[in-house]
Amino acid sequence: SVLLDVCAACQDATVTQELLKEGFHRDLLVKVKLGVVGEDAGECAVAVRTRLPTGIYVDPYELASLQQHNLTKALLIPDVIDVEAPEYLATDFLLLLYLEPDPWCSQCFRAALPVHGRYHRPAEESEEVLVVLKSPEVLVCCCDNYLLTACWKPAEVEAPCSGRNNCPCQWYSVMHKPAYKESILQVPVGLRQHSSLVCVVTLLTTVLCSSLILAAVCKQGCSS
């Protein structure tokens, strides 16, 4: 009867993710609803694990500031990220984002995290490239709740259960329905045929600014 109860209670979780704002600097909003019938999941730690593509990154210094003010909690693997590298020189990385319980839903969790688009190579035709974020893996850590943990498979995750020290930290991977649609970041890029014009304008601007600085220095020297 216990097995029947478990099978009846276990359902796929639901994941949605959105990219808020516009431009290069966005907020990634992730929502998870656990598909466990008749159980309060409020005591569980819930996180999502995803590999972000090279076209997008999380600023580790910004993340550290947010965590210092308890505005978010996440782990970056590796934790050293070159925020200045363009997309074609960058490497992807693993993001573990902890979710907070939704006060209006006992089985719902959510979190938001600032993400940033990288510069790409100039394109031949289109003035934008698309960076696709795949649906993340859902991880759950619950304390001494057989019905909940029996629904899912143990996962190898070397991360604490969001500061919960009152129980062993065993993460479980949750079967889930992927996001209804893929999250796509549209990054503006230059066109190759404009390269010569950009180089000429940049050179002229550099010469003009250098001349103005030199003239100001000479004028200051003469007046003194």
Side-chain angles (χ1 to χ4, degrees), residues 150-162:
C151 293
W152 311 310
K153 296 180 179 180
E156 295 184 5
V157 182
E158 295 182 3
C161 289
S162 188

Side-chain angles (χ1 to χ4, degrees), residues 56-73:
I56 195 171
Y57 70 94
V58 175
D59 188 334
Y61 304 103
E62 183 180 28
L63 176 59
S65 177
L66 292 173
Q67 294 192 133
Q68 185 178 5
H69 293 86
N70 295 322
L71 297 178
T72 191
K73 182 174 176 60

Side-chain angles (χ1 to χ4, degrees), residues 16 27 35-36 51 54-55 64 70-71 125 129 132 139 153 157 165 167 176 199 206 216:
T16 59
D27 283 341
V36 181
R51 184 166 293 278
T54 56
N70 295 322
L71 297 178
E125 299 178 358
V129 295
V132 179
L139 300 170
K153 296 180 179 180
V157 182
N165 297 320
C167 66
H176 69 279
C199 290
T206 302

Side-chain angles (χ1 to χ4, degrees), residues 1-219:
S1 61
V2 175
L3 180 60
L4 293 176
D5 290 341
V6 171
C7 293
C10 297
Q11 298 180 4
D12 288 348
T14 303
V15 179
T16 59
Q17 57 182 6
E18 303 175 62
L19 283 169
L20 309 178
K21 301 180 182 179
E22 299 292 335
F24 280 89
H25 309 290
R26 313 289 288 273
D27 283 341
L28 175 62
L29 175 62
V30 182
K31 300 178 183 178
V32 171
K33 183 175 183 180
L34 299 180
V36 181
V37 178
E39 289 289 327
D40 184 2
E43 294 301 318
C44 297
V46 179
V48 292
R49 179 168 59 177
T50 185
R51 184 166 293 278
L52 293 183
T54 56
I56 195 171
Y57 70 94
V58 175
D59 188 334
Y61 304 103
E62 183 180 28
L63 176 59
S65 177
L66 292 173
Q67 294 192 133
Q68 185 178 5
H69 293 86
N70 295 322
L71 297 178
T72 191
K73 182 174 176 60
L75 293 177
L76 304 178
I77 305 174
D79 57 359
V80 177
I81 298 175
D82 187 352
V83 300
E84 300 294 338
E87 180 272 338
Y88 49 88
L89 295 178
T91 57
D92 58 3
F93 63 93
L94 199 64
L95 168 67
L96 181 69
L97 177 62
Y98 292 87
L99 278 60
E100 293 293 330
D102 188 334
W104 307 107
C105 174
S106 62
Q107 298 168 338
C108 301
F109 299 79
R110 58 185 293 161
L113 183 69
V115 295
H116 310 276
R118 292 189 184 274
Y119 291 105
H120 288 63
R121 293 183 186 275
E124 293 290 349
E125 299 178 358
S126 176
E127 294 186 357
E128 65 181 20
V129 295
L130 304 181
V131 179
V132 179
L133 276 68
K134 296 182 179 179
S135 188
E137 176 187 8
V138 179
L139 300 170
V140 174
C141 177
C142 298
C143 295
D144 301 326
N145 194 322
Y146 174 76
L147 183 58
L148 287 175
T149 56
C151 293
W152 311 310
K153 296 180 179 180
E156 295 184 5
V157 182
E158 295 182 3
C161 289
S162 188
R164 288 173 169 81
N165 297 320
N166 58 339
C167 66
C169 184
Q170 174 60 64
W171 288 98
Y172 290 84
S173 181
V174 179
M175 295 294 295
H176 69 279
K177 301 173 184 176
Y180 298 118
K181 61 179 181 179
E182 292 180 325
S183 296
I184 299 177
L185 175 65
Q186 297 178 328
V187 179
V189 296
L191 297 177
R192 292 184 184 275
Q193 56 265 37
H194 295 163
S195 299
S196 299
L197 177 61
V198 171
C199 290
V200 171
V201 172
T202 302
L203 178 60
L204 292 176
T205 302
T206 302
V207 171
L208 176 61
C209 293
S210 300
S211 300
L212 292 174
I213 294 174
L214 182 60
V217 170
C218 292
K219 182 178 180 181

